[in-house]
Amino acid sequence: MQGNKPVVVLVDAYTSGKYLLPEFTALGAETVHVQSTPDFMPSMPAPDLSGYRATIVHEHLDRTVEQLAAYAPVAVLAGQEPGVELADLLSEPLGVPSNRTTLSAARRDKYRMIETLRAAGLHCADQFVGDDAAQLRDWAEQVAGYPVVVKPLKSAAGDGVYVCADSAAVLAAARAVLGSDTIYGETNREALAQSYLRGEEYVIDMVSYSGRRYVCGVWQYHKRLLRNGRNIYDWEHLLGPDEGPVPELIAYVDRALAALGIDYGPTHAEAILTPEGPALVEVGSRIAGNMHPRFHDRCTGGNQATLTALAHLEPERFLAEYAGRRYTKREEAVCCTTSTGLSGVVTGVDEQVVAELTGLETVFGLNVKIEPGGRIRPTVDLYSSTMRIFLSGPSADAIRRDRRCIEELKDRVYQIRPDECE
């Protein structure tokens, strides 16, 4: 089956993973999609498979490896979080650049992730994992103190994450996590409790090849803690490559990736700058969820999707031109994640309001996340947010002005049939 073009395998190219396909295609590659589950995951929009040379639904490792070997792929990458471990399992026997399977579990399981960093001498949260809510409460009471963070071991996007102020909140959060399913359809047999990291939270995005890295961007999160303990995303803004804590954060994440055995591919790390120094919240071995290639090109001079494709198809060029370097801040940039208190069925999208939003001076683009027929519900995590809006411009004041307009308009985008009217 081998043709003249190199073939790249993408595993579970959901959400922002969709941006990898056109970038590999633009550099002359063909792509094969591997789906890790029998059916598409209902929590995310199904990937558009029309641009792939072939699609494979994974059932048995040896069979999937045999099917992929016929294409002689040059790379295997996770398109989204649930594909990380399968991409590792496939890349080794196919003989392509690989992060290997030795630490694969630590790249998804947050308890193992943090313990791996601790063993490497990096500053981390204290933590405890258990399958009984009372165990987590006892640890909080006797060891950690409050507040305590309770969350699933293998989810993302703020799913099931609670900031707990007392023992009753820990019990309630642990019971909510245990036995529930993550956004990826995995059942939480255990829950993780961690000491609360005090400080500002940052995003550090990189692309690696052969252990050498390019820093694509560092952003500061601005979140809002709800009364129920959920800490939701509001917006994040781009920092300059030498601004404030950025060099310290980059150095810490570089050590964290090395400890986790991440030598290849894109990574999306979240870290909190505590009084004792940076501490990892988590890192995903895939591109960032806020990825918008042209937006990032505009404000940072590059983007993870393009650079991931370049690294795997033209590694000599990536190593010569990008490895060991970092982005530039070309202009002020913000990514807004809009929240809502609305609940009901979406019956339509008011295009006039959407046009009003896109017409704001600094709005580069927006994603309307809920289609007619879908449900809108009060925001508790990224997956229940309503829109993602990208803003950029020469002045932070102009962006702040447009953010105020967004707050006024956001709940008018969706026409809904409220739950109480059903």
Side-chain angles (χ1 to χ4, degrees), residues 373-400:
R375 293 196 62 84
I376 191 169
R377 59 189 177 90
T379 301
V380 294
D381 54 25
L382 274 178
Y383 276 78
S384 52
S385 63
T386 57
M387 289 183 294
R388 178 168 278 142
I389 304 178
F390 303 93
L391 304 94
S392 64
S395 110
D397 286 341
I399 291 177
R400 276 193 291 269

Side-chain angles (χ1 to χ4, degrees), residues 1 42 77 199 293 364 381:
M1 290 187 190
L77 295 162
F364 181 88
D381 54 25

